[in-house]
Each structure stands twice: as C-alpha cells, then as structure tokens.
Amino acid sequence: MSLQRRNVDLTGLNTLALPSRAACYVEITTPPQLFAGELKQAPRFVLGDGSNLVLTSDFDGLVVHMAIAGRQLLSEDTDAWYIRAGAGENWHDFVQWTLGQGWPGLENLSLIPGRVGAAPIQNIGAYGLEVGECVHSLNAWDFEKRCFLTVDRKDCRFGYRDSLFKQEGWHLSGRMAIASVLFRLPKRWRPKTRYTDVTQELAAREITSPTPRDIASAIIAIRQRKLPDPAVTPNAGSFFHNPVVDRSIAEKLGSDYPSLPRYPQPDGQVKLAAGWLIEQAGWKGKSLGPVGMFEKQALVLVNHGGGTGADVLRTMAAVRAAVHEKFGVALTPEPIFL
Ligand code: EPU
C-alpha cells in the first residue's frame, strides 16, 4: 500500500508558516519504509520540522517527512556515553532527556527548534557549542544507491553552519536522508559558559558552579527573552550567517564603527555580528509588508501574518542591500530555499 498523499498543504510544516503545497508527500516513521521504490521519485525534498526553510512556491515533487522516533544509550566506556536518536525526535526534548538521564554535553543547544536528523546538516550551534563536536557518526539513507551508509564525524566536514550534506548539495537535491544520529558525550564534563549572555545570566542567578541543568535553564531563559516563539510569531531563527571577513576589512570597519562586535577566528579571519549590522542599517523591528526583522533580535526574520515566500525574498533583498550599502558587507542567508 502506498504511504504517499497528494497535493498536501505545507503551511503548518514550516516554522515561517509560508503557504505552499507539495504534489506528493510521505511521512517516514520507520527505517524500512525508506526501501519503498516509489521514494526514488524526483524531485524530492527531505523535511524535518521546516525550521530552517523558506518555501518560495508550490513544490512539484515528493516531500519526505522524516519522523523516525527512538532514543537510547547504545553503549558506554570509561570516557563517554554513546547515545543514538532517530531523525524525527524533537531536538529540544532529546537534549532535555539526555540531561535527565545524567548525560551532559548538549545543554548549550537547548531550545533550538527542529529535529535530530536536521541538526548535523547545518551543524546547529549556540552559546559556544556546535552539534558536530558531539556527533560520533550518523546513519543516512541514500535514495539513489538505495542503501544505508554510516558517516563518521571526521567525514561530516563540519564547519560554521556547514557540513558535508550542504557542501554536496544533498540538503537540496534530496539525495540523502539522515535516519539516526549517534552522539558521543564525554564523561569528563566541563561547563561551556564563556559566552557573555550565559555568564551574565548565571551571575544574575547567583550561580557560581553551574550544573548542566543550570546552564540549560539559563540558556532557555535567554532564548525565550530574545528570540520569537515560532508558534506565536513564525520565524526560522537567525536568517543570515554571521559574515566572516578578512582581518583588514574588519579593522577598517572597526575603526569606522568601534562598537561593531568582532570575533577573531582561528584562521585569522574575523566573524562580524550580522544582527548588529542589520540593526545599524535601520532594519531592527522594520518590515516590508507582512515580513520584517524581529524587534528584539534583528537577525531573525519574522512573518507577522499572511506573508508568502515572495514577501520573504523581498524583505531579504532589502535587508541585504541596506547592509551592503552602509558597510560593504554581503550577507548570506542561513535557511534553505525550496
Ligand atoms: N546584536 C545587535 N543587534 C541585534 C542583534 C544582535 O547589536 O539586533 C549584537 C549583540 O548585541 C551581540 C552580537 O550582535 O553583540 C551577537 O548577538 P547574539 O549574541 O544575539 O548572537 P548572534 O550572533 O546574533 C548567533 C547564532 C544564533 C545563536 C546565538 C547564540 C548565527 C547566525 N546565529 O546569533 O543561532 O543562538 O549566536 O550563540 O550564528 C540560529 O542559527 O538560528 C541561531 C539562533
């Protein structure tokens, strides 16, 4: 029996709440369902929670919605716990579950929207931690070769909001679907609290020796204060990457704008705060039609209601133009455009 449905509304399946319909749609809840020959159909798009996605029009292809559940401690040795989670697990629930089990390490990534299977694709990161640091390996289904493959962390080529899956274009072509992720969480835990927001939040709570749960709780509070809840105000998190520029450009900008946040990178380049650039370019809390930049965090693009993919593209272009005109810096969008 075919699991596919036709002409499916995707509006509730993307956190920007953009209207779009998929010609075909299938929900995958168990790995064997991936063997179905009909899933070879192209074009194909692999969907999680749609929390990093801009739907620009209807999709005349097959949407494969990954909903494989399951989470378990696979093994442990003297150094680490090895925990496997299905691609369809909710990311935040998974993180809180690991903390509840006494396996710390992912607490800095609390409250990030999305599912486990999507986390390695753009190497989600926040408050001084990127998920790639905690991935041991992952299991992905290759729709063309029709087999599962295991990809070790070193082969995932993790970078800032980047991985093998993006570099090879598989996130757009629907070639691969991550079915499960194996995490390695070291038993020697050290708090990652150097990020200013986290330091300040813990100080305000008078916590000097934070537990993993203290850090999760602080980060949840910070995110709730700064970032819009997609269930209330549709958004896709940070809409642009923080741009990385040559040191000479950063120095010139820094002398013109001393308050510009600059983060030197190990390779000598400098990461700039896109939120700051957008705010200074006059876009914090500003909208073009129904789509604008959030009033408390200018890096987050929000749909105030009724916005479409075309509205998102219009606002995105206006923001990029304003930042480029004022600072000469090109912003790269973070979400996937379908
Ligand atoms: N800033 C402004 N105005 C703004 C927003 C930010 O001046 O409207 C300044 C802040 O004052 C700060 C700097 O820019 O000095 C950085 O801001 P923030 O700490 O809020 O972090 P971010 O660089 O804007 C990044 C990630 C977030 C992640 C936070 C915390 C990217 C693209 N975004 O944001 O990730 O949660 O750091 O680590 O790297 C996401 O990817 O969806 C996301 C939310």
Side-chain angles (χ1 to χ4, degrees), residues 53-314:
L53 178 64
V54 178
L55 294 168
T56 55
S57 62
D58 289 342
F59 183 58
D60 190 18
L62 170 67
V63 167
V64 181
H65 199 183
M66 294 302 285
I68 297 170
R71 52 195 192 190
Q72 64 181 129
L73 179 69
L74 213 60
S75 64
E76 64 180 293
D77 55 27
T78 46
D79 295 333
W81 294 283
Y82 298 83
I83 301 141
R84 188 168 63 194
E89 289 286 332
N90 174 274
W91 174 260
H92 174 71
D93 291 348
F94 170 66
V95 172
Q96 303 315 299
W97 174 76
T98 58
L99 296 176
Q101 298 291 319
W103 308 322
L106 295 171
E107 56 280 353
N108 289 43
L109 304 180
S110 291
L111 214 62
I112 294 185
R115 298 187 181 188
V116 165
I121 294 176
Q122 71 146 340
N123 189 16
I124 58 170
Y127 307 103
L129 178 69
E130 291 182 343
V131 75
E133 297 168 46
C134 303
V135 169
H136 172 276
S137 56
L138 50 85
N139 195 245
W141 173 255
D142 184 330
F143 285 94
E144 275 166 36
K145 293 192 176 151
R146 296 175 55 71
C147 61
F148 283 104
L149 58 139
T150 299
V151 188
D152 291 333
R153 178 169 67 133
K154 64 176 182 350
D155 297 323
C156 286
R157 304 205 299 247
F158 288 121
Y160 169 59
R161 296 294 189 273
D162 197 23
S163 73
L164 167 76
F165 290 82
K166 289 180 84 170
Q167 292 152 19
E168 296 293 332
W170 294 334
H171 64 311
L172 284 175
S173 67
R175 164 84 187 263
M176 301 272 179
I178 293 177
S180 66
V181 182
L182 180 61
F183 296 90
R184 179 185 185 277
L185 302 182
K187 289 185 173 173
R188 257 186 70 180
W189 177 80
R190 284 198 204 85
K192 281 193 162 68
T193 54
R194 283 175 53 199
Y195 206 95
T196 315
D197 280 359
V198 180
T199 320
Q200 286 175 353
E201 182 67 24
L202 290 170
R205 295 174 177 216
E206 298 179 359
I207 296 172
T208 46
S209 302
T211 64
R213 290 238 184 173
D214 289 334
I215 296 174
S217 164
I219 284 172
I220 289 168
I222 296 165
R223 291 188 74 100
Q224 284 175 335
R225 265 201 310 269
K226 270 196 177 180
L227 299 169
D229 177 355
V232 180
T233 309
N235 73 88
S238 297
F239 198 80
F240 297 99
H241 291 177
N242 281 328
V244 179
V245 300
D246 287 343
R247 187 164 48 193
S248 57
I249 295 173
E251 278 169 4
K252 168 81 175 65
L253 284 168
S255 71
D256 291 348
Y257 306 96
S259 63
L260 165 65
R262 279 155 284 160
Y263 314 102
Q265 300 298 293
D267 64 0
Q269 290 193 298
V270 180
K271 194 190 270 184
L272 308 176
W276 187 96
L277 297 170
I278 295 168
E279 177 173 353
Q280 298 302 314
W283 269 90
K284 190 172 193 168
K286 181 172 164 177
S287 296
L288 195 58
V291 171
M293 305 313 286
F294 191 51
E295 75 260 14
K296 292 186 211 156
Q297 222 298 9
L299 189 49
V300 178
L301 178 142
V302 291
N303 178 1
H304 292 296
T308 64
D311 294 317
V312 171
L313 294 178
R314 236 188 326 271

